[in-house]
mmCIF file with all atom_site columns, all heavy atoms in Angstrom:
data_model
loop_
_atom_site.group_PDB
_atom_site.id
_atom_site.type_symbol
_atom_site.label_atom_id
_atom_site.label_alt_id
_atom_site.label_comp_id
_atom_site.label_asym_id
_atom_site.label_entity_id
_atom_site.label_seq_id
_atom_site.pdbx_PDB_ins_code
_atom_site.Cartn_x
_atom_site.Cartn_y
_atom_site.Cartn_z
_atom_site.occupancy
_atom_site.B_iso_or_equiv
_atom_site.pdbx_formal_charge
_atom_site.auth_seq_id
_atom_site.auth_comp_id
_atom_site.auth_asym_id
_atom_site.auth_atom_id
_atom_site.pdbx_PDB_model_num
ATOM 1   N N   . PHE A 1 117 ? -10.907 -7.497  -16.243 1.00 98.00 ? 123 PHE A N   1
ATOM 2   C CA  . PHE A 1 117 ? -11.543 -6.727  -15.175 1.00 98.00 ? 123 PHE A CA  1
ATOM 3   C C   . PHE A 1 117 ? -11.529 -7.531  -13.873 1.00 98.00 ? 123 PHE A C   1
ATOM 4   O O   . PHE A 1 117 ? -11.145 -7.029  -12.804 1.00 98.00 ? 123 PHE A O   1
ATOM 5   C CB  . PHE A 1 117 ? -12.978 -6.389  -15.570 1.00 98.00 ? 123 PHE A CB  1
ATOM 6   C CG  . PHE A 1 117 ? -13.719 -5.558  -14.563 1.00 98.00 ? 123 PHE A CG  1
ATOM 7   C CD1 . PHE A 1 117 ? -13.673 -4.172  -14.609 1.00 98.00 ? 123 PHE A CD1 1
ATOM 8   C CD2 . PHE A 1 117 ? -14.471 -6.161  -13.567 1.00 98.00 ? 123 PHE A CD2 1
ATOM 9   C CE1 . PHE A 1 117 ? -14.366 -3.403  -13.679 1.00 98.00 ? 123 PHE A CE1 1
ATOM 10  C CE2 . PHE A 1 117 ? -15.163 -5.402  -12.634 1.00 98.00 ? 123 PHE A CE2 1
ATOM 11  C CZ  . PHE A 1 117 ? -15.106 -4.014  -12.687 1.00 98.00 ? 123 PHE A CZ  1
ATOM 12  N N   . GLY A 1 118 ? -11.922 -8.781  -13.963 1.00 98.00 ? 124 GLY A N   1
ATOM 13  C CA  . GLY A 1 118 ? -12.018 -9.618  -12.775 1.00 98.00 ? 124 GLY A CA  1
ATOM 14  C C   . GLY A 1 118 ? -10.682 -9.885  -12.115 1.00 98.00 ? 124 GLY A C   1
ATOM 15  O O   . GLY A 1 118 ? -10.590 -9.977  -10.887 1.00 98.00 ? 124 GLY A O   1
ATOM 16  N N   . THR A 1 119 ? -9.634  -10.016 -12.915 1.00 98.00 ? 125 THR A N   1
ATOM 17  C CA  . THR A 1 119 ? -8.307  -10.291 -12.350 1.00 98.00 ? 125 THR A CA  1
ATOM 18  C C   . THR A 1 119 ? -7.843  -9.161  -11.449 1.00 98.00 ? 125 THR A C   1
ATOM 19  O O   . THR A 1 119 ? -7.331  -9.397  -10.345 1.00 98.00 ? 125 THR A O   1
ATOM 20  C CB  . THR A 1 119 ? -7.287  -10.521 -13.469 1.00 98.00 ? 125 THR A CB  1
ATOM 21  O OG1 . THR A 1 119 ? -7.652  -11.705 -14.191 1.00 98.00 ? 125 THR A OG1 1
ATOM 22  C CG2 . THR A 1 119 ? -5.880  -10.690 -12.908 1.00 98.00 ? 125 THR A CG2 1
ATOM 23  N N   . VAL A 1 120 ? -8.032  -7.923  -11.895 1.00 98.00 ? 126 VAL A N   1
ATOM 24  C CA  . VAL A 1 120 ? -7.603  -6.785  -11.079 1.00 98.00 ? 126 VAL A CA  1
ATOM 25  C C   . VAL A 1 120 ? -8.458  -6.669  -9.822  1.00 98.00 ? 126 VAL A C   1
ATOM 26  O O   . VAL A 1 120 ? -7.944  -6.404  -8.725  1.00 98.00 ? 126 VAL A O   1
ATOM 27  C CB  . VAL A 1 120 ? -7.631  -5.484  -11.911 1.00 98.00 ? 126 VAL A CB  1
ATOM 28  C CG1 . VAL A 1 120 ? -7.372  -4.272  -11.031 1.00 98.00 ? 126 VAL A CG1 1
ATOM 29  C CG2 . VAL A 1 120 ? -6.586  -5.563  -13.020 1.00 98.00 ? 126 VAL A CG2 1
ATOM 30  N N   . VAL A 1 121 ? -9.754  -6.879  -9.943  1.00 98.00 ? 127 VAL A N   1
ATOM 31  C CA  . VAL A 1 121 ? -10.622 -6.865  -8.762  1.00 98.00 ? 127 VAL A CA  1
ATOM 32  C C   . VAL A 1 121 ? -10.217 -7.983  -7.791  1.00 98.00 ? 127 VAL A C   1
ATOM 33  O O   . VAL A 1 121 ? -10.183 -7.782  -6.568  1.00 98.00 ? 127 VAL A O   1
ATOM 34  C CB  . VAL A 1 121 ? -12.102 -7.000  -9.164  1.00 98.00 ? 127 VAL A CB  1
ATOM 35  C CG1 . VAL A 1 121 ? -12.991 -7.235  -7.948  1.00 98.00 ? 127 VAL A CG1 1
ATOM 36  C CG2 . VAL A 1 121 ? -12.558 -5.748  -9.915  1.00 98.00 ? 127 VAL A CG2 1
ATOM 37  N N   . ASP A 1 122 ? -9.873  -9.143  -8.329  1.00 98.00 ? 128 ASP A N   1
ATOM 38  C CA  . ASP A 1 122 ? -9.454  -10.266 -7.478  1.00 98.00 ? 128 ASP A CA  1
ATOM 39  C C   . ASP A 1 122 ? -8.195  -9.932  -6.683  1.00 98.00 ? 128 ASP A C   1
ATOM 40  O O   . ASP A 1 122 ? -8.071  -10.298 -5.505  1.00 98.00 ? 128 ASP A O   1
ATOM 41  C CB  . ASP A 1 122 ? -9.205  -11.510 -8.325  1.00 98.00 ? 128 ASP A CB  1
ATOM 42  C CG  . ASP A 1 122 ? -10.486 -12.182 -8.788  1.00 98.00 ? 128 ASP A CG  1
ATOM 43  O OD1 . ASP A 1 122 ? -11.569 -11.847 -8.253  1.00 98.00 ? 128 ASP A OD1 1
ATOM 44  O OD2 . ASP A 1 122 ? -10.412 -13.037 -9.687  1.00 98.00 ? 128 ASP A OD2 1
ATOM 45  N N   . ILE A 1 123 ? -7.241  -9.256  -7.327  1.00 98.00 ? 129 ILE A N   1
ATOM 46  C CA  . ILE A 1 123 ? -5.979  -8.945  -6.650  1.00 98.00 ? 129 ILE A CA  1
ATOM 47  C C   . ILE A 1 123 ? -6.152  -7.764  -5.699  1.00 98.00 ? 129 ILE A C   1
ATOM 48  O O   . ILE A 1 123 ? -5.859  -7.853  -4.501  1.00 98.00 ? 129 ILE A O   1
ATOM 49  C CB  . ILE A 1 123 ? -4.869  -8.642  -7.671  1.00 98.00 ? 129 ILE A CB  1
ATOM 50  C CG1 . ILE A 1 123 ? -4.580  -9.864  -8.538  1.00 98.00 ? 129 ILE A CG1 1
ATOM 51  C CG2 . ILE A 1 123 ? -3.588  -8.193  -6.955  1.00 98.00 ? 129 ILE A CG2 1
ATOM 52  C CD1 . ILE A 1 123 ? -3.682  -9.581  -9.732  1.00 98.00 ? 129 ILE A CD1 1
ATOM 53  N N   . ASP A 1 124 ? -6.626  -6.653  -6.239  1.00 98.00 ? 130 ASP A N   1
ATOM 54  C CA  . ASP A 1 124 ? -6.630  -5.410  -5.471  1.00 98.00 ? 130 ASP A CA  1
ATOM 55  C C   . ASP A 1 124 ? -7.702  -5.397  -4.376  1.00 98.00 ? 130 ASP A C   1
ATOM 56  O O   . ASP A 1 124 ? -7.413  -5.047  -3.227  1.00 98.00 ? 130 ASP A O   1
ATOM 57  C CB  . ASP A 1 124 ? -6.851  -4.221  -6.405  1.00 98.00 ? 130 ASP A CB  1
ATOM 58  C CG  . ASP A 1 124 ? -5.668  -3.952  -7.317  1.00 98.00 ? 130 ASP A CG  1
ATOM 59  O OD1 . ASP A 1 124 ? -5.099  -4.920  -7.855  1.00 98.00 ? 130 ASP A OD1 1
ATOM 60  O OD2 . ASP A 1 124 ? -5.316  -2.775  -7.493  1.00 98.00 ? 130 ASP A OD2 1
ATOM 61  N N   . LEU A 1 125 ? -8.917  -5.728  -4.744  1.00 98.00 ? 131 LEU A N   1
ATOM 62  C CA  . LEU A 1 125 ? -10.029 -5.623  -3.789  1.00 98.00 ? 131 LEU A CA  1
ATOM 63  C C   . LEU A 1 125 ? -10.205 -6.896  -2.968  1.00 98.00 ? 131 LEU A C   1
ATOM 64  O O   . LEU A 1 125 ? -10.129 -6.871  -1.735  1.00 98.00 ? 131 LEU A O   1
ATOM 65  C CB  . LEU A 1 125 ? -11.314 -5.282  -4.529  1.00 98.00 ? 131 LEU A CB  1
ATOM 66  C CG  . LEU A 1 125 ? -12.598 -5.228  -3.683  1.00 98.00 ? 131 LEU A CG  1
ATOM 67  C CD1 . LEU A 1 125 ? -12.443 -4.281  -2.504  1.00 98.00 ? 131 LEU A CD1 1
ATOM 68  C CD2 . LEU A 1 125 ? -13.787 -4.836  -4.544  1.00 98.00 ? 131 LEU A CD2 1
ATOM 69  N N   . LYS A 1 126 ? -10.418 -8.012  -3.645  1.00 98.00 ? 132 LYS A N   1
ATOM 70  C CA  . LYS A 1 126 ? -10.630 -9.252  -2.907  1.00 98.00 ? 132 LYS A CA  1
ATOM 71  C C   . LYS A 1 126 ? -9.368  -9.661  -2.162  1.00 98.00 ? 132 LYS A C   1
ATOM 72  O O   . LYS A 1 126 ? -9.440  -10.201 -1.043  1.00 98.00 ? 132 LYS A O   1
ATOM 73  C CB  . LYS A 1 126 ? -11.111 -10.348 -3.853  1.00 98.00 ? 132 LYS A CB  1
ATOM 74  C CG  . LYS A 1 126 ? -12.510 -10.077 -4.409  1.00 98.00 ? 132 LYS A CG  1
ATOM 75  C CD  . LYS A 1 126 ? -12.915 -11.050 -5.497  1.00 98.00 ? 132 LYS A CD  1
ATOM 76  C CE  . LYS A 1 126 ? -13.142 -12.451 -4.983  1.00 98.00 ? 132 LYS A CE  1
ATOM 77  N NZ  . LYS A 1 126 ? -13.654 -13.351 -6.063  1.00 98.00 ? 132 LYS A NZ  1
ATOM 78  N N   . GLY A 1 127 ? -8.198  -9.397  -2.739  1.00 98.00 ? 133 GLY A N   1
ATOM 79  C CA  . GLY A 1 127 ? -6.950  -9.702  -2.046  1.00 98.00 ? 133 GLY A CA  1
ATOM 80  C C   . GLY A 1 127 ? -6.817  -8.910  -0.755  1.00 98.00 ? 133 GLY A C   1
ATOM 81  O O   . GLY A 1 127 ? -6.376  -9.439  0.274   1.00 98.00 ? 133 GLY A O   1
ATOM 82  N N   . THR A 1 128 ? -7.199  -7.631  -0.789  1.00 98.00 ? 134 THR A N   1
ATOM 83  C CA  . THR A 1 128 ? -7.170  -6.811  0.426   1.00 98.00 ? 134 THR A CA  1
ATOM 84  C C   . THR A 1 128 ? -8.102  -7.391  1.482   1.00 98.00 ? 134 THR A C   1
ATOM 85  O O   . THR A 1 128 ? -7.759  -7.467  2.674   1.00 98.00 ? 134 THR A O   1
ATOM 86  C CB  . THR A 1 128 ? -7.559  -5.364  0.083   1.00 98.00 ? 134 THR A CB  1
ATOM 87  O OG1 . THR A 1 128 ? -6.584  -4.812  -0.809  1.00 98.00 ? 134 THR A OG1 1
ATOM 88  C CG2 . THR A 1 128 ? -7.645  -4.499  1.331   1.00 98.00 ? 134 THR A CG2 1
ATOM 89  N N   . PHE A 1 129 ? -9.280  -7.809  1.072   1.00 98.00 ? 135 PHE A N   1
ATOM 90  C CA  . PHE A 1 129 ? -10.213 -8.439  2.005   1.00 98.00 ? 135 PHE A CA  1
ATOM 91  C C   . PHE A 1 129 ? -9.636  -9.726  2.582   1.00 98.00 ? 135 PHE A C   1
ATOM 92  O O   . PHE A 1 129 ? -9.706  -9.971  3.801   1.00 98.00 ? 135 PHE A O   1
ATOM 93  C CB  . PHE A 1 129 ? -11.541 -8.728  1.314   1.00 98.00 ? 135 PHE A CB  1
ATOM 94  C CG  . PHE A 1 129 ? -12.444 -9.628  2.114   1.00 98.00 ? 135 PHE A CG  1
ATOM 95  C CD1 . PHE A 1 129 ? -13.075 -9.167  3.253   1.00 98.00 ? 135 PHE A CD1 1
ATOM 96  C CD2 . PHE A 1 129 ? -12.637 -10.947 1.740   1.00 98.00 ? 135 PHE A CD2 1
ATOM 97  C CE1 . PHE A 1 129 ? -13.906 -9.998  4.010   1.00 98.00 ? 135 PHE A CE1 1
ATOM 98  C CE2 . PHE A 1 129 ? -13.455 -11.781 2.481   1.00 98.00 ? 135 PHE A CE2 1
ATOM 99  C CZ  . PHE A 1 129 ? -14.090 -11.313 3.618   1.00 98.00 ? 135 PHE A CZ  1
ATOM 100 N N   . HIS A 1 130 ? -9.071  -10.579 1.717   1.00 98.00 ? 136 HIS A N   1
ATOM 101 C CA  . HIS A 1 130 ? -8.527  -11.857 2.194   1.00 98.00 ? 136 HIS A CA  1
ATOM 102 C C   . HIS A 1 130 ? -7.458  -11.635 3.267   1.00 98.00 ? 136 HIS A C   1
ATOM 103 O O   . HIS A 1 130 ? -7.428  -12.329 4.295   1.00 98.00 ? 136 HIS A O   1
ATOM 104 C CB  . HIS A 1 130 ? -7.907  -12.644 1.030   1.00 98.00 ? 136 HIS A CB  1
ATOM 105 C CG  . HIS A 1 130 ? -8.906  -13.099 0.023   1.00 98.00 ? 136 HIS A CG  1
ATOM 106 N ND1 . HIS A 1 130 ? -8.561  -13.376 -1.286  1.00 98.00 ? 136 HIS A ND1 1
ATOM 107 C CD2 . HIS A 1 130 ? -10.246 -13.332 0.104   1.00 98.00 ? 136 HIS A CD2 1
ATOM 108 C CE1 . HIS A 1 130 ? -9.641  -13.749 -1.957  1.00 98.00 ? 136 HIS A CE1 1
ATOM 109 N NE2 . HIS A 1 130 ? -10.667 -13.731 -1.132  1.00 98.00 ? 136 HIS A NE2 1
ATOM 110 N N   . VAL A 1 131 ? -6.570  -10.679 3.023   1.00 98.00 ? 137 VAL A N   1
ATOM 111 C CA  . VAL A 1 131 ? -5.476  -10.437 3.971   1.00 98.00 ? 137 VAL A CA  1
ATOM 112 C C   . VAL A 1 131 ? -6.005  -9.840  5.267   1.00 98.00 ? 137 VAL A C   1
ATOM 113 O O   . VAL A 1 131 ? -5.612  -10.266 6.365   1.00 98.00 ? 137 VAL A O   1
ATOM 114 C CB  . VAL A 1 131 ? -4.409  -9.531  3.331   1.00 98.00 ? 137 VAL A CB  1
ATOM 115 C CG1 . VAL A 1 131 ? -3.329  -9.158  4.354   1.00 98.00 ? 137 VAL A CG1 1
ATOM 116 C CG2 . VAL A 1 131 ? -3.760  -10.226 2.128   1.00 98.00 ? 137 VAL A CG2 1
ATOM 117 N N   . ALA A 1 132 ? -6.886  -8.855  5.163   1.00 98.00 ? 138 ALA A N   1
ATOM 118 C CA  . ALA A 1 132 ? -7.434  -8.239  6.376   1.00 98.00 ? 138 ALA A CA  1
ATOM 119 C C   . ALA A 1 132 ? -8.182  -9.276  7.213   1.00 98.00 ? 138 ALA A C   1
ATOM 120 O O   . ALA A 1 132 ? -8.033  -9.335  8.442   1.00 98.00 ? 138 ALA A O   1
ATOM 121 C CB  . ALA A 1 132 ? -8.361  -7.081  5.993   1.00 98.00 ? 138 ALA A CB  1
#
Side-chain angles (χ1 to χ4, degrees):
F123 182 89
T125 296
V126 172
V127 170
D128 284 346
I129 297 170
D130 290 43
L131 176 54
K132 293 172 69 175
T134 297
F135 168 72
H136 293 156
V137 174

